[in-house]
Amino acid sequence: MLVSCGDNLALRLAGPDDLAALIDFNTRIFDERITDWAADLAGGRHPTVQTCDFTVVEDLRDKKIVSSVCLISQTWQYDGIPFQVGRPELVATDPDYRRRGLVRKQFEAIHARSAAKGELLQVITGVDWFYRQFGYEMGVKLWGSRCVNGMDVPKLKEGETEVYHLRPATSGDHEFIRDVYDQAARGQLFAALRSPEEWDYEFTGRSKANTRRREWLVLADSEGERLGYVQYLACLPLPHLPLFRISQVELKVGVGYLNVMPSLLRGLWEKAQAMYASGELPCREIHGLELALERDHPLYRAIPKNLVRDLKPSPWYIRIPDMIAFLSKIRPALEGHLVGTVAEGYNGELKLNFFRSGIQLVFDSGRISAIEKWQPGEAWQGDARFPDASFLELVCGWRRFEEMSESFADCWGTHEAAVLLDCLFPPFHGKVWVLA
Ligand SMILES: CC(C)(COP(=O)(O)OP(=O)(O)OC[C@H]1O[C@@H](n2cnc3c(N)ncnc32)[C@H](O)[C@@H]1OP(=O)(O)O)[C@@H](O)C(=O)NCCC(=O)NCCS
């Protein structure tokens, strides 16, 4: 693949000979906190990424890489149905070559590559608004952090002894952690799934200084029985933040957060202070814990409200280029969502007008017998209308239909369509642990 970008610039897939230059380029555009991440992705350590999953734009005059994007392939599930996802990352252009459409051109190539791999959805974080230009819309949430100051962590009462303890996970705990994660993922509308190779990469595969590396603690009772785990960021990506970032807390079925919360917070705060004292946490000061968990994580309900500080949730931008293919993939889940709702056993058609295009769903006693292209002739046609890529917000459970029709005057639906759409696409407040 070689695509001319004009002015002696050419777009192509990266090859093994580009490895050193790619790592150097990413370090120069971002900083040295990206170096090991880029090296793991491009250098063959990563289970789903190879050097050829990077596109590069080269200045043919001096053979210099001036822009690059990579694609991290992965598997997610929607209510139990696995599907393939592509995550564009390390999106970067040399300052001297910006605003010449080099990222736009590479996104066309990355999207084609993602489609060829059978990926039904693309997901990205990063520069606000920028990716909307390439068909992305606000989708699932990244996290809704709450902070607990170290001084607010509940103290042990006089004469009380700690019942629950945190200890570093060992290789003997990996299967337990996987099981607890999988059990939690099964209850989520959206979740990322990991193959055995991807789990190995999470546990031991990343380079020590890769800022995406996680570590785990196991929560156990006084008999040593494992009750759950904590996942934390081993290398702080933002050293100016005086917080110890916890990225997951999961307890196994039957263990309540209210019981373990005080010990858990004490254990985490002790761990944070010990890591800070030993220089393992490279922040200038340590003030508390950042719980970067899903917005409605049960731990948040167990912690008294006056002890936590709320941080705004950040979303992923999502792209679903072939909505008919995606809806067809998740059709059994959509049918399942109608059961037990007012739309159970629904008969009829639902015409969705996206202004330039449209989709018709046909329902037969609660089964979806067709999901097909429908071309609206006029803006007013159909049972519900969605401007731009706003339908994605509903599909991802980010907003309800009424919220959308209040936000966008050109989003509208009949009463029946509005009720049906909310039954088909339930809300989702979870957090997806996206493969990095
Ligand atoms: C953001 C970045 C990747 C854009 O690269 P680029 O090659 O200049 O992007 P393009 O020229 O392909 O941009 C496509 C369009 O977006 C516009 N655009 C470029 N940067 C933009 C920005 N920061 N905000 C809004 N629009 C922007 C361009 O003008 C162009 O619009 P047009 O097609 O209507 O002319 C580049 O500025 C960069 O490397 N920044 C530092 C690293 C970074 O933040 N990466 C993203 C982290 S996920």
Side-chain angles (χ1 to χ4, degrees), residues 91-93 98-104 127 129-131 133:
V91 181
T93 298
R98 286 183 189 163
R99 304 218 175 219
R100 297 193 204 178
L102 300 186
V103 161
R104 181 185 290 283
V127 189
W129 177 82
F130 183 66
Y131 300 107
Q133 303 175 95

Side-chain angles (χ1 to χ4, degrees), residues 324 352-360 372-376:
I324 292 179
L352 305 173
N353 183 342
F354 305 137
F355 297 100
R356 281 196 186 118
S357 63
I359 294 179
Q360 170 173 262
E372 57 203 13
K373 189 170 173 325
W374 164 70
Q375 188 57 51

Side-chain angles (χ1 to χ4, degrees), residues 375-386:
Q375 188 57 51
E378 304 287 345
W380 52 264
Q381 289 178 337
D383 304 300
R385 312 198 275 260
F386 295 89

Side-chain angles (χ1 to χ4, degrees), residues 164-174 176-178 180-181 199 202-203 214-221 225-234 244-252 263-275 280-281 289 291:
Y164 307 103
H165 300 269
L166 283 172
R167 61 162 174 79
T170 66
S171 57
D173 296 311
H174 290 176
F176 170 78
I177 291 169
R178 287 169 50 167
V180 174
Y181 174 80
W199 272 110
E202 296 292 356
F203 285 132
R214 316 290 171 116
E215 285 195 3
W216 282 262
L217 302 170
V218 167
L219 181 75
D221 65 14
E225 194 194 339
R226 295 175 296 191
L227 306 178
Y229 72 81
V230 171
Q231 184 197 74
Y232 63 92
L233 252 75
F244 178 41
R245 182 179 286 176
I246 312 301
S247 42
Q248 281 179 25
V249 178
E250 293 297 344
L251 301 183
K252 65 183 190 187
S263 304
L264 185 64
L265 291 188
R266 278 193 290 273
L268 287 173
W269 182 229
E270 261 173 43
K271 173 80 184 170
Q273 287 172 301
M275 285 177 72
E280 263 184 276
L281 270 190
L289 305 170
L291 304 168

Side-chain angles (χ1 to χ4, degrees), residues 35-56:
T35 310
D36 287 62
W37 186 23
D40 284 355
L41 285 168
R45 287 178 87 112
H46 196 283
T48 71
V49 182
Q50 301 167 28
T51 324
C52 64
D53 290 307
F54 283 73
T55 53
V56 292

Side-chain angles (χ1 to χ4, degrees), residues 25 29-30 66-69 88-95 97-107 124-131 133-134:
F25 170 74
I29 302 301
F30 296 100
V66 296
S67 187
S68 178
V69 177
E89 249 303 344
L90 298 182
V91 181
T93 298
D94 184 303
Y97 293 80
R98 286 183 189 163
R99 304 218 175 219
R100 297 193 204 178
L102 300 186
V103 161
R104 181 185 290 283
K105 278 229 158 57
Q106 288 174 96
F107 263 67
I124 195 163
T125 51
V127 189
D128 278 354
W129 177 82
F130 183 66
Y131 300 107
Q133 303 175 95
F134 313 133

